Amino acid sequence: AQSVTQLGSHVSVSEGALVLLRCNYSSSVPPYLFWYVQYPNQGLQLLLKYTTGATLVKGINGFEAEFKKSETSFHLTKPSAHMSDAAEYFCAVSDQGGYQKVTFGTGTKLQVIP
Amino acid sequence: DAGVIQSPRHEVTEMGQEVTLRCKPISGHDYLFWYRQTMMRGLELLIYFNNNVPIDDSGMPEDRFSAKMPNASFSTLKIQPSEPRDSAVYFCASSLQGAGRDGYTFGSGTRLTVV
């Protein structure tokens, strides 16, 4: 069984400040990990993914995430927030054996304050 | 590629009416998924297809829901009869080989309101 916990349903940052969105997962087998972003009235868009290899993964729009097996975490970061980053962010996990078994977190809404 | 295309973007219907949602996946993607998103339940996988064949429909809430994929470029999700609790945003997504490995490409969704 696998699960995802996103800490904080709402996060506010000032424009230009560090963005840190937290995600912890539970999986009985090596996971594949994803971050998706959802802008208002739009579908989810894949930001980045970890499958195997390098644990620091870079995505679109300047975001990156680091897979830390010892901490079962996959936190999303961006050095400097931009107003356009305001959206909802979803962490997701699948196990490497079940390609279609994806579990989403409950989402974190990011507010960027000018 | 234009991405995953869903229609209509918005649908308002009266309780008891039939509703049909449509989806055109990305060409060449072997997998198609239907999701439902609500505030209360978040994202729920309803059904997915592989090469036009339904593989797992365990997420379909009731017999009132049905989905078809007559060919590789078209799928429908039908609700008959519709109820107010079906109000939600319905997303179609496609994936090249496996959503759990490659990730999804989502459409923009259909916002369904049943009054």
Side-chain angles (χ1 to χ4, degrees):
Chain A
Q2 57 200 21
S3 65
V4 174
T5 301
Q6 291 186 240
L7 297 175
S9 58
H10 291 81
V11 170
S12 294
V13 300
S14 297
E15 190 176 15
L18 171 72
V19 176
L20 171 60
L21 304 182
R22 299 177 187 274
C23 173
N24 287 90
Y25 70 90
S26 172
S27 177
S28 56
V29 296
Y32 291 154
L33 295 157
F34 307 82
W35 276 99
Y36 288 85
V37 60
Q38 185 177 29
Y39 298 102
N41 300 314
Q42 294 187 28
L44 282 71
Q45 179 184 4
L46 182 64
L47 263 182
L48 51 79
K49 65 181 179 183
Y50 167 79
T51 54
T52 58
T55 57
L56 182 63
V57 181
K58 294 186 184 299
I60 61 173
N61 302 337
F63 284 92
E64 62 182 34
E66 186 170 11
F67 169 58
K68 291 188 176 180
K69 184 178 178 180
S70 61
E71 299 178 8
T72 60
S73 69
F74 191 57
H75 301 330
L76 182 70
T77 60
K78 181 174 181 178
S80 176
H82 192 273
M83 295 299 294
S84 60
D85 295 327
E88 189 160 18
Y89 293 79
F90 292 88
C91 183
V93 62
S94 73
D95 68 70
Q96 295 185 14
Y99 283 174
Q100 312 313 326
K101 192 76 174 173
V102 178
T103 301
F104 283 91
T106 52
T108 297
K109 285 190 176 177
L110 176 66
Q111 180 187 21
V112 181
I113 303 167
Chain B
D1 199 315
V4 176
I5 300 172
Q6 291 187 247
S7 64
R9 285 299 309 274
H10 302 273
E11 178 79 42
V12 180
T13 190
E14 292 185 348
M15 182 174 63
Q17 296 298 306
E18 177 179 297
V19 176
T20 299
L21 312 181
R22 297 172 175 79
C23 174
K24 176 180 168 54
I26 290 176
S27 176
H29 280 195
D30 292 336
Y31 291 87
L32 182 139
F33 305 79
W34 283 100
Y35 272 88
R36 179 170 69 175
Q37 186 179 37
T38 60
M39 291 290 292
M40 293 297 294
R41 296 180 176 227
L43 280 159
E44 300 175 274
L45 176 63
L46 301 177
I47 185 172
Y48 80 88
F49 296 82
N50 178 213
N51 292 326
N52 314 337
V53 176
I55 303 300
D56 185 351
D57 65 354
S58 60
M60 297 285 261
E62 299 172 33
D63 291 346
R64 298 185 295 106
F65 286 69
S66 63
K68 294 182 179 180
M69 192 166 185
N71 57 63
S73 60
F74 185 65
S75 177
T76 59
L77 178 67
K78 186 176 294 186
I79 308 172
Q80 165 65 15
S82 58
E83 297 182 5
R85 59 192 167 127
D86 302 330
S87 297
V89 181
Y90 290 82
F91 289 106
C92 176
S94 68
S95 178
L96 182 61
Q97 293 186 353
R101 187 184 67 185
D102 299 327
Y104 298 102
T105 300
F106 281 85
S108 297
T110 295
R111 183 175 296 276
L112 174 65
T113 303
V114 183
V115 298

